[in-house]
Amino acid sequence: MKNTIEFTTKNILNDFELYLEEFNELTALAPEFFKNRQWTAMQANHKKRLRLYKDFIANCREKIIQEIGEFKNNSTFWLEVKQHFSMIINNRKDKELAETFYNSTIRKTFDNLAVDDSLMYVHEGYNTCDLHPNDNLYYTYPSAWGLQKIIRQIMDDFDFGVKYYNKEEDIQLLVRAVREVILTRYEPTKDTVTQVLKSVFYRNKAAYLIGRTRVGGKWMPFIIPFLHNENGVYVDTMIFDPRIMAHMFSFSRSYFMVKTTIPSQMVSFLNAVISHKQIHELYNAIGFNKHGKTEFYRDFLIHLENSQDQFEIAEGIKGMVMTVFTLPSYNIVFKLIKDHFEPPKDMTRQQVKDKYKLVSLHDRVGRMADTHEFEYFSFPLDRISPALMQELKNTVNSLLIFTEKNLIIKHLYTERKMIPLNLYLESCDLEDAKLAVEEYGNSILQLAQANIFPGDMMTKNFGVTRQKRVIFYDYDEIEFLTDMNFRWKPKAETYEQIYAPTPWYSIAKHDVFPEDFKRFMIGRVDVKPHFLSYHKELFNPDYWSQIQERIRKGELLHAFPYPKEIRFRPEQSA
């Protein structure tokens, strides 16, 4: 058995290292894509990197299964594998990622394995990572240099290898921003220092510098976005608002392409700069979403241990495809695909999974919620409310496994909890309602620009975040926008056509009539006129067709993760 244990650990570590090597190679392509404005290649590269993990785990599993034979579901064997694996990764600076890779491998190899403390790394992770010196992580700029020199040096240190649109103007715009936001509030001292991460964060058409200035006895974080259009590279703005920063690292945004040698070190710096974000969200943001999933689960276990409330059916209108529940004290919902779908839903469980997979690989442009997919997720039976238990038995009974103390759910998704837009509109005041319906329309249009058509655009399928942004979260009917056929409704000309109880004209599967959106999109009477006026383009088929045409021509429409009014040059296109 000893040889089999060594074979297993060696293969897990070897495949982890190969995965990490290819992950870093793909990440390293981002600067060239930005330099050459190869936006389609940037997106394709991002999707390729997202697929890596699953492919390497599948490959590792196949090799192990062929070798271990009878030990496949042997707990004693895996206990020794884990002990040996812990020994050989002990000095690695990325050991938390290696532990997650091991967890993924055993979960895919050992049949129907729920979380097991003895066989898996359940409580280790980020908090047990060794602290490593991080002086090489960032550039340092002392206050003695003066503001002008500091900004000039930052611009020199980050040369993207192409011409600047107007570098001198960029420098002065940054100097002015620092003076207006920081120097009007704090007086620099000899201890004042600025640090900027050496690694550039790339996403879509933008490159971001992330830094902080020690002033007034605390760190003041900032983010500097760069764009690159036909005029050259330019600074688009300078961001100090922590709420905007948090949104840039939001669960509704795609992951960054950013070089990192020691992931925990990078996360530690980001955690100090963007304090609104939890550890698992930061691992997600830098592309290690599988370890982000691990850290989320650890956070969930800690919360479970320190709370007493019961899991309940989530608020809102019950879905036709998903059963959704939550723990009131926790900001996550759990989504399960139902055993049966009532008409008019006509799809299979696998088709629903495919829709969620599509979203996981697509640019979410700040308008679609990220999800984590789990298998054999365990809940304490005594924490499940009677009403929820009955609902689960009625709708997802095939997914349930009962043990003496736990309910194990074979398959589910986790997603950030939001207030359903329909409920929000029922209770908010008029001004918040106006903002919400504006956001609702913006969400739909920005999804369209990312080649996503939501399908079911009822307000119950959208949520409102704490920052009052509207996010789409129901994916079972999404389609690529370019697959849809946007049509004007034919005009009735005869008596029979005018009074026909059903449409008298033919309607194909992907036909969409935007004029009909007016009937169902907003029900609240006092805010509907504002919505119809503010988003009148939503009801024009030609407008949708124009977006389709731009996408078909290969144009990537950039979704700014910050308000356009803070841009230095709002007239510049991305």
Side-chain angles (χ1 to χ4, degrees):
M1 190 163 97
K2 180 180 179 182
N3 290 340
T4 307
I5 290 169
E6 291 179 351
F7 172 89
T8 303
T9 53
K10 179 181 178 181
N11 271 276
I12 294 174
L13 182 58
N14 183 61
D15 278 13
F16 168 69
E17 290 176 338
L18 290 173
Y19 154 72
L20 209 56
E21 181 181 344
E22 191 164 342
F23 179 97
N24 290 331
E25 287 174 358
L26 294 175
T27 302
L29 295 174
E32 282 298 307
F33 292 141
F34 180 80
K35 173 183 174 180
N36 297 315
R37 301 177 61 233
Q38 295 173 292
W39 311 128
T40 302
M42 180 79 86
Q43 283 203 326
N45 189 54
H46 175 71
K47 289 182 179 180
K48 186 176 181 181
R49 195 182 73 169
L50 282 169
R51 292 188 179 101
L52 276 184
Y53 192 89
K54 185 176 182 179
D55 291 343
F56 273 97
I57 290 294
N59 181 61
C60 186
R61 173 187 179 274
E62 288 305 311
K63 287 187 294 186
I64 289 172
I65 285 178
Q66 291 176 18
E67 176 69 21
I68 66 178
E70 62 183 297
F71 299 122
K72 179 173 178 284
N73 297 328
N74 186 307
S75 296
T76 302
F77 168 77
W78 283 105
L79 179 62
E80 294 192 36
V81 169
K82 180 190 173 186
Q83 291 171 347
H84 189 244
F85 192 75
S86 297
M87 181 180 67
I88 63 176
I89 67 167
N90 186 56
N91 294 322
R92 293 187 66 95
K93 294 180 179 180
D94 55 7
K95 67 178 181 181
E96 80 277 24
L97 303 187
E99 290 170 352
T100 287
F101 196 88
Y102 167 90
N103 285 350
S104 299
T105 304
I106 187 174
R107 289 294 296 273
K108 290 297 183 183
T109 306
F110 196 124
D111 293 334
N112 303 336
L113 179 66
V115 172
D116 187 314
D117 286 352
S118 62
L119 305 185
M120 301 167 63
Y121 299 94
V122 178
H123 297 289
E124 290 83 355
Y126 175 77
N127 290 334
T128 62
C129 290
D130 296 328
L131 295 177
H132 300 282
N134 61 0
D135 292 347
N136 291 325
L137 189 65
Y138 46 75
Y139 292 111
T140 299
Y141 309 93
S143 63
W145 286 7
L147 182 56
Q148 282 277 348
K149 182 178 178 180
I150 289 173
I151 297 298
R152 288 183 185 279
Q153 189 60 54
I154 290 174
M155 295 291 283
D156 288 343
D157 285 338
F158 294 93
D159 181 356
F160 295 100
V162 288
K163 70 169 185 174
Y164 272 84
Y165 169 63
N166 191 331
K167 189 172 183 178
E168 183 59 34
E169 185 178 53
D170 283 346
I171 291 169
Q172 299 312 317
L173 287 168
L174 290 171
V175 167
R176 186 181 69 186
V178 173
R179 283 175 175 161
E180 289 178 353
V181 177
I182 295 182
L183 299 187
T184 55
R185 299 163 61 187
Y186 301 102
E187 184 72 28
T189 67
K190 60 182 178 61
D191 296 322
T192 295
V193 66
T194 296
Q195 298 170 345
V196 179
L197 284 172
K198 292 181 179 180
S199 295
V200 179
F201 288 62
Y202 294 92
R203 184 168 63 197
N204 294 338
K205 289 185 174 182
Y208 303 91
L209 305 188
I210 298 179
R212 60 185 182 181
T213 298
R214 184 74 180 175
V215 63
K218 62 180 180 180
W219 287 106
M220 291 282 291
F222 59 84
I223 297 178
I224 305 175
F226 288 78
L227 296 175
H228 184 195
N229 64 14
E230 62 278 0
N231 297 319
V233 172
Y234 61 94
V235 173
D236 198 46
T237 188
M238 190 171 189
I239 299 165
F240 300 97
D241 189 332
R243 293 169 300 179
I244 297 176
M245 293 184 195
H247 172 63
M248 294 173 72
F249 282 75
S250 166
F251 64 93
S252 63
R253 293 280 171 191
S254 297
Y255 312 136
F256 291 101
M257 307 290 281
V258 53
K259 178 182 177 182
T260 173
T261 304
I262 307 175
S264 60
Q265 189 184 75
M266 173 75 78
V267 166
S268 179
F269 185 93
L270 292 173
N271 189 39
V273 172
I274 308 168
S275 56
H276 289 68
K277 292 288 136 183
Q278 294 180 308
I279 296 301
H280 65 86
E281 295 175 296
L282 296 175
Y283 272 104
N284 288 343
I286 63 175
F288 296 112
N289 57 308
K290 295 302 181 182
H291 186 68
K293 175 180 170 180
T294 301
E295 291 292 344
F296 156 74
Y297 186 73
R298 288 170 179 148
D299 181 77
F300 168 72
L301 291 180
I302 292 169
H303 182 87
L304 204 59
E305 188 176 336
N306 292 281
S307 61
Q308 296 181 336
D309 52 335
Q310 290 196 314
F311 292 92
E312 300 175 351
I313 301 170
E315 65 176 352
I317 299 172
K318 291 182 181 179
M320 300 178 72
V321 171
M322 308 292 276
T323 293
V324 185
F325 67 91
T326 188
L327 190 65
S329 62
Y330 201 51
N331 67 340
I332 293 293
V333 294
F334 302 86
K335 305 176 71 170
L336 290 69
I337 305 173
K338 291 184 175 182
D339 290 339
H340 305 286
F341 309 142
E342 297 295 329
K345 297 291 185 181
D346 181 23
M347 61 186 66
T348 65
R349 178 172 274 157
Q350 186 56 51
Q351 286 173 322
V352 177
K353 289 182 179 180
D354 291 343
K355 299 290 186 181
Y356 275 75
K357 181 68 173 178
L358 185 157
V359 171
S360 73
L361 295 173
H362 203 80
D363 179 11
R364 294 189 298 279
V365 295
R367 295 299 183 178
M368 289 192 290
D370 194 10
T371 61
H372 282 308
E373 185 177 9
F374 285 91
E375 294 178 335
Y376 296 93
F377 198 108
S378 182
F379 298 89
L381 275 172
D382 61 2
R383 298 288 293 274
I384 298 176
S385 69
L388 172 59
M389 181 61 76
Q390 190 59 52
E391 182 71 12
L392 293 174
K393 289 179 178 179
N394 290 343
T395 61
V396 294
N397 195 56
S398 71
L399 297 178
L400 310 181
I401 299 174
F402 292 92
T403 66
E404 184 179 350
K405 293 185 178 180
N406 294 307
L407 167 63
I408 298 172
I409 297 179
K410 295 178 185 176
H411 181 268
L412 61 75
Y413 298 96
T414 61
E415 192 174 273
R416 176 66 65 83
K417 184 190 298 181
M418 292 173 273
I419 304 172
L421 178 57
N422 60 309
L423 298 185
Y424 182 82
L425 288 173
E426 288 176 6
S427 59
C428 67
D429 61 31
L430 181 59
E431 287 307 307
D432 278 343
K434 286 182 176 180
L435 176 63
V437 298
E438 290 172 11
E439 271 285 288
Y440 170 55
N442 290 339
S443 179
I444 292 168
L445 290 173
Q446 287 176 6
L447 287 174
Q449 291 170 354
N451 198 22
I452 290 291
F453 183 68
D456 188 347
M457 293 188 288
M458 300 288 284
T459 53
K460 67 183 179 68
N461 296 324
F462 292 77
V464 182
T465 70
R466 287 173 295 184
Q467 291 78 30
K468 298 184 179 180
R469 283 182 60 82
V470 173
I471 308 295
F472 182 57
Y473 55 56
D474 195 326
Y475 305 142
D476 58 271
E477 290 194 22
I478 64 170
E479 301 283 354
F480 289 117
L481 187 83
T482 47
D483 290 339
M484 311 311 290
N485 180 33
F486 295 96
R487 295 174 55 188
W488 290 98
K489 292 182 70 173
K491 301 300 181 184
E493 297 179 353
T494 67
Y495 178 88
E496 289 77 10
Q497 291 173 348
I498 293 172
Y499 293 100
T502 58
W504 52 270
Y505 43 87
S506 62
I507 302 176
K509 179 182 178 182
H510 286 149
D511 283 352
V512 179
F513 299 92
E515 294 163 280
D516 286 342
F517 296 169
K518 294 179 182 180
R519 292 189 292 105
F520 68 82
M521 273 186 144
I522 297 295
R524 181 167 161 172
V525 176
D526 61 343
V527 78
K528 186 163 187 172
H530 175 72
F531 174 72
L532 297 180
S533 172
Y534 192 89
H535 283 302
K536 52 183 177 291
E537 68 273 22
L538 275 173
F539 318 111
N540 185 336
D542 295 338
Y543 182 81
W544 290 89
S545 298
Q546 289 168 10
I547 298 176
Q548 284 181 315
E549 188 61 26
R550 293 174 68 184
I551 294 170
R552 287 179 180 134
K553 288 181 178 178
E555 183 177 349
L556 175 63
L557 305 177
H558 184 68
F560 291 91
Y562 44 83
K564 291 188 177 181
E565 55 265 26
I566 71 171
R567 296 183 63 202
F568 290 154
R569 306 179 184 91
E571 76 284 353
Q572 284 284 338
S573 62

